[in-house]
Amino acid sequence: GQNIDQPTEMTATEGAIVQINCTYQTSGFNGLFWYQQHAGEAPTFLSYNVLDGLEEKGRFSSFLSRSKGYSYLLLKELQMKDSASYLCAVRAAAGNKLTFGGGTRVLVKP
Amino acid sequence: GAGVSQSPRYKVAKRGQDVALRCDPISGHVSLFWYQQALGQGPEFLTYFQNEAQLDKSGLPSDRFFAERPEGSVSTLKIQRTQQEDSAVYLCASSLEPAGGTETQYFGPGTRLLVL
């Protein structure tokens, strides 16, 4: 089976940094994805990790430790428009479907 | 060209009514997925197509749910005899490569279904 856990909600101040953790227990592993989803909109791709380590892309970075079943998404220099839900998703080794966590709703305050 | 599109964006159905939800994937994308997203939850996998072949339908919750992609492009998700628990957002996603690749899935805006 698949189990993916992430915090339900986080609050941070504009200009600050927020780290969203994701832990997973899956029967196989072929990559971990982070998506951003604004209310009522489609999830949009942020990052992809398949090897251990840090992937940096502008203000967003994502880290993966396969041995620990752990990933985090780091959002730097927070902007009001970053208020959204952030979805952690794992792709199992067999097949291409994604298994999602429940999402972390991030609220950025002025 | 354009991204993944879905129609209708909103659908209100009476309990027991049949509904059909349409997905137009990105042109040339081989893989197509359907997900169901309940309010405040992450998307849950329903079914997967590689071209016109439905390779995985393990996530379909009951035999009232049926999906097809007859020409390997547009897909339709049909729900028969809708129930209130079917109320959710139905997301479609497509990716360029078939299963096993490293391709990202690109999502459409979803169809919000409300069953009264």
Side-chain angles (χ1 to χ4, degrees), chain A residues 30 33 35 37 39-45 48 87 91 93 95-103, chain B residues 9 33 35 37 40-43 45 56 58 91 95 99-105 107-109 112:
Chain A
N30 192 23
F33 294 77
Y35 282 83
Q37 186 177 29
E41 298 183 10
T44 55
F45 170 76
Y48 167 70
L87 301 165
R91 180 167 56 200
N96 205 15
K97 64 185 179 186
L98 296 179
T99 300
F100 285 85
Chain B
R9 291 295 312 278
F33 306 81
Y35 293 87
Q37 186 173 26
Q41 303 295 317
F45 171 78
D56 187 348
S58 61
L91 294 167
S95 66
T102 59
E103 283 294 316
T104 299
Q105 293 182 24
F107 283 81
R112 187 176 300 271

Side-chain angles (χ1 to χ4, degrees), chain B residues 70-113:
Chain B
E71 298 179 357
S73 178
V74 171
S75 177
T76 303
L77 175 67
K78 297 180 180 178
I79 309 173
Q80 297 176 324
R81 305 181 302 281
T82 52
Q83 303 294 316
Q84 287 184 321
E85 60 263 28
D86 299 335
S87 296
V89 176
Y90 291 85
L91 294 167
C92 176
S94 69
S95 66
L96 183 59
E97 295 293 334
T102 59
E103 283 294 316
T104 299
Q105 293 182 24
Y106 296 92
F107 283 81
T111 294
R112 187 176 300 271
L113 174 65

